[in-house]
Amino acid sequence: ILSKLQTFTQPMILIPGNHDQCSAGINEFHSLTPLQHAYRVDHGRLPGLLIFSHPTIFQRALWIPHIRSPAIVESVLQRDHDEHPIQAVFCHADVTGAYMNDNILSQGGVPPKLFPPNIPIYSGHFHKPHVVQQQNRTIEYLGSPYEISLSEAQQAKALVVLDGSTWECIERIPLNLG
């Protein structure tokens, strides 16, 4: 993986998910840690990979890694962002009403109404690509890039390409892996 990453020329942002964490708390140590120095961009001046292990505002977006406690995620979402307005949210979160698989909706997690309205919101965590819409909030679960198990058979997987200035989807590239 490190050898392949060294061929990359574009920067990448990663947030740890629940399967990346080594412990139940929020910390800097997770399975993504070895990748943080994998490659550089801009003639070696900048790191190619940015890994946000804590909630971070960057490029007008709020980046939230997986946090086990919905109450902590709620407190992050309810912070005053007036000083640094956000235009998108990227998270790895359990959202109430999201599909955990093809048949089961999440009853726990963070209520959609706590997310900022009228901006793109993208989440990982659940492998099924789908959208949760509620009260001017659209939370898009991007899903896993390939079928992890037979329970995901026939799910339409895709690579989603975003415009870095608006965070809107500009292309969906179908993936057929797994």
Side-chain angles (χ1 to χ4, degrees), residues 28-159:
E28 300 291 330
F29 303 106
H30 41 70
S31 65
L32 301 180
T33 302
L35 305 178
Q36 70 189 67
H37 300 293
Y39 70 102
R40 299 188 69 78
V41 295
D42 195 21
H43 305 289
R45 290 190 291 256
L46 300 171
L49 277 171
L50 294 178
I51 302 171
F52 297 137
S53 302
H54 301 278
T56 302
I57 295 176
F58 179 73
Q59 294 293 90
R60 301 163 321 282
L62 174 59
W63 305 82
I64 307 172
H66 179 71
I67 300 171
R68 293 183 193 273
S69 166
I72 294 174
V73 177
E74 291 176 17
S75 71
V76 169
L77 290 169
Q78 292 177 335
R79 287 184 190 151
D80 181 9
H81 295 112
D82 287 342
E83 186 175 336
H84 301 284
I86 58 173
Q87 296 177 351
V89 174
F90 293 88
C91 59
H92 194 98
D94 176 355
V95 175
T96 309
Y99 278 98
M100 298 169 73
N101 59 34
D102 281 336
N103 302 309
I104 300 173
L105 290 173
S106 173
Q107 302 298 314
V110 179
K113 67 181 180 183
L114 296 181
F115 285 85
N118 304 313
I119 64 171
I121 303 165
Y122 301 99
S123 186
H125 197 50
F126 297 134
H127 297 187
K128 177 184 174 68
H130 67 287
V131 172
V132 177
Q133 287 188 301
Q134 191 180 99
Q135 301 171 344
N136 298 326
R137 287 146 179 98
T138 301
I139 302 158
E140 181 173 357
Y141 274 89
L142 299 172
S144 58
Y146 56 89
E147 297 168 358
I148 304 294
S149 70
L150 285 174
S151 67
E152 295 180 45
Q154 307 307 312
Q155 288 181 358
K157 306 293 188 174
L159 173 67

